[in-house]
Amino acid sequence: MIERHGPPDSLVERDVSLRVPGPDEVQLRVQAAGVNFADLLMRAGLYGTVPSLPYSPGFEVAGEVVRVGSRVDGWRVRDRAVALLRYGGYSHDVVVSPRQIVRYPDSLTPVQAAAVPVGFLTAWVCLFEAGRARAPETVLILGAGGGVGTAAVQLAVRRGLRVIGTAGDMRKRTFVTQELGAEACFDSRGEWEADVRQLVGARGIDLALDPVGGHATAACRRLLAPLGRLIFYGLSDAMPRQKRHWLHAARAWLRTPRFHPLSLVEPNIGIFGVHLLHLQAKQHILTPALDKIFRGVAGGELQPVLDRVFPFDRAGAVEAHRYLHARRNLGKVVLADRTPA
Ligand SMILES: NC(=O)c1ccc[n+]([C@@H]2O[C@H](COP(=O)([O-])OP(=O)(O)OC[C@H]3O[C@@H](n4cnc5c(N)ncnc54)[C@H](OP(=O)(O)O)[C@@H]3O)[C@@H](O)[C@H]2O)c1
């Protein structure tokens, strides 16, 4: 849990009494919790819309229903589910509305299931709801080796899009092209704008998924073809490398271009913002999308790319945060008590 903002080892473990579920709620015993980049931003004090300290990070968990409110239909004790949360997933139990939980296929372990919701749903919304991607358009996916990125590459390839990624090391780039089917994946720390331009020529790209901000956003905008869409969904660039994080975050903020609506008219382009956790009003889109994604995973057409499982305790969470901060993860990182067989 986060009691004060700071580096990974500022996370603490605390016993907190659990709220008794109301008649319209269920209690889920958490077996695995997905770790997301935004958890790091929360811990560093760089994330908006969070409760006052102390609170626990964690947007997604997989677990088993252990209590069901008297007015809840359709759920029973021992049902397995994933939950999407605003925060609080680094916990042994969570109390949630049934609207926040979705069943997952029997063939998946809780660890695999916890690696699916945030990455795949964010990718889905960016590509198909906000981005309206359709074959044979070209999509540029920044951070293609990350949790959202590996999901986005798979969804886009399956839809028949031409996929170009960026990633920070050779292991990720090779995986994104050879295992996930992207046409190319360029060095996110190199001259990727020029590389993409060389590949697509003057025609440009139809869609850019940008979770980075700063100069990367300006580059994506320059690469857009007429009727191209830039989907902005994160500001990884704000993540402090070491200390003095406010200064670093402020620089990232300032580096990110501002767009006047008039500047979009002549080039015929659009800019779209996405924030999955503020989409509760669109649950009728999210729940069927997650069902479809889980069916794809069960059928073997999609795979949650699972990099590492860290122990579900303070030390494990600290190490997981360090691992993500060092940009070493290829796909998802999950906290769980035991590594699945
Ligand atoms: N808006 C939403 O609803 C939503 C939902 C989920 C995630 N997000 C955002 O999407 C991004 C990815 O999330 P994730 O959980 O998939 O994270 P992740 O698995 O850690 O992947 C993030 C990738 O971003 C790159 N990266 C890390 N630190 C960076 C930095 N300081 N500057 C530039 N690039 C950096 C790394 O790629 P390379 O080193 O390989 O380049 C890393 O693989 C984050 O910005 C997150 O906040 C937004």
Side-chain angles (χ1 to χ4, degrees):
M1 116 179 293
I2 304 167
E3 286 183 342
R4 63 176 177 84
H5 297 131
D9 62 8
S10 60
L11 289 171
V12 293
E13 193 162 345
R14 295 281 181 261
D15 283 329
V16 178
S17 57
L18 188 71
R19 191 162 62 75
V20 174
D24 297 309
E25 293 179 315
V26 301
Q27 180 179 336
L28 201 65
R29 177 125 318 144
V30 176
Q31 294 162 319
V35 179
N36 287 281
F37 191 83
D39 303 352
L40 280 61
L41 294 171
M42 277 185 171
R43 196 207 63 237
L46 296 172
Y47 202 76
T49 59
V50 291
S52 47
L53 294 170
Y55 70 94
S56 158
F59 294 109
E60 59 189 342
V61 297
E64 195 175 83
V65 174
V66 288
R67 284 172 92 169
V68 181
S70 57
R71 288 203 295 256
V72 173
D73 283 331
W75 288 97
R76 286 185 317 200
V77 169
R78 281 201 286 281
D79 282 349
R80 300 186 332 148
V82 291
L84 261 181
L85 312 160
R86 296 285 287 266
Y87 56 88
Y90 294 12
S91 310
H92 291 296
D93 288 86
V94 292
V95 173
V96 291
S97 155
R99 285 193 306 276
Q100 291 172 268
I101 59 178
V102 171
R103 287 187 171 75
Y104 64 89
D106 291 341
S107 56
L108 267 65
T109 64
V111 166
Q112 291 168 319
V116 169
V118 172
F120 273 95
L121 272 181
T122 304
W124 180 285
V125 171
C126 288
L127 286 168
F128 306 132
E129 302 298 338
R132 302 280 159 190
R134 53 203 182 266
E137 287 187 320
T138 302
V139 56
L140 171 65
I141 298 174
L142 304 188
V148 179
T150 51
V153 172
Q154 293 180 66
L155 290 170
V157 167
R158 274 191 75 213
R159 262 312 157 96
L161 301 168
R162 181 184 186 195
V163 180
I164 304 165
T166 69
D169 65 45
M170 192 53 85
R171 176 175 85 117
K172 295 184 198 177
R173 291 196 288 275
T174 305
F175 188 86
V176 166
T177 50
Q178 296 189 5
E179 302 297 323
L180 301 184
E183 177 179 324
C185 190
F186 298 117
D187 186 355
S188 56
R189 301 162 206 217
E191 300 299 317
W192 57 265
E193 181 184 354
D195 296 332
V196 175
R197 179 61 76 193
Q198 197 177 7
L199 186 68
V200 299
R203 203 206 151 278
I205 56 171
D206 301 299
L207 194 63
L209 266 53
D210 170 19
V212 178
H215 296 313
T217 304
C220 287
R221 186 247 167 276
R222 285 191 291 269
L223 286 164
L224 286 184
L227 300 182
R229 291 85 71 200
L230 193 169
I231 313 298
F232 183 76
Y233 70 101
L235 192 60
S236 306
D237 195 26
M239 192 65 202
R241 284 177 186 94
Q242 296 296 329
K243 298 230 167 89
R244 292 164 63 85
H245 66 265
W246 287 111
L247 197 58
H248 184 84
R251 282 206 197 102
W253 175 261
L254 289 172
R255 274 195 297 267
T256 303
R258 275 82 177 130
F259 299 102
H260 190 284
L262 267 178
S263 73
L264 311 178
V265 174
E266 274 188 19
N268 286 285
I269 57 170
I271 317 282
F272 209 114
V274 166
H275 199 316
L276 185 69
L277 300 174
H278 291 269
L279 268 180
Q280 295 98 328
K282 298 288 180 187
Q283 205 59 46
H284 59 285
I285 293 174
L286 298 187
T287 304
L290 190 51
D291 278 336
K292 222 179 268 182
I293 289 161
F294 272 132
R295 279 201 300 278
V297 173
E301 301 123 49
L302 298 171
Q303 51 157 324
V305 176
L306 188 61
D307 184 336
R308 285 190 58 178
V309 182
F310 288 89
F312 206 152
D313 55 21
R314 175 184 178 272
V318 168
E319 281 314 307
H321 277 222
R322 286 191 178 129
Y323 192 66
L324 257 73
H325 195 161
R327 300 167 71 158
R328 287 172 61 199
N329 59 303
L330 168 49
K332 291 291 295 191
V333 163
V334 170
L335 304 176
D337 283 334
R338 275 181 298 117
T339 310

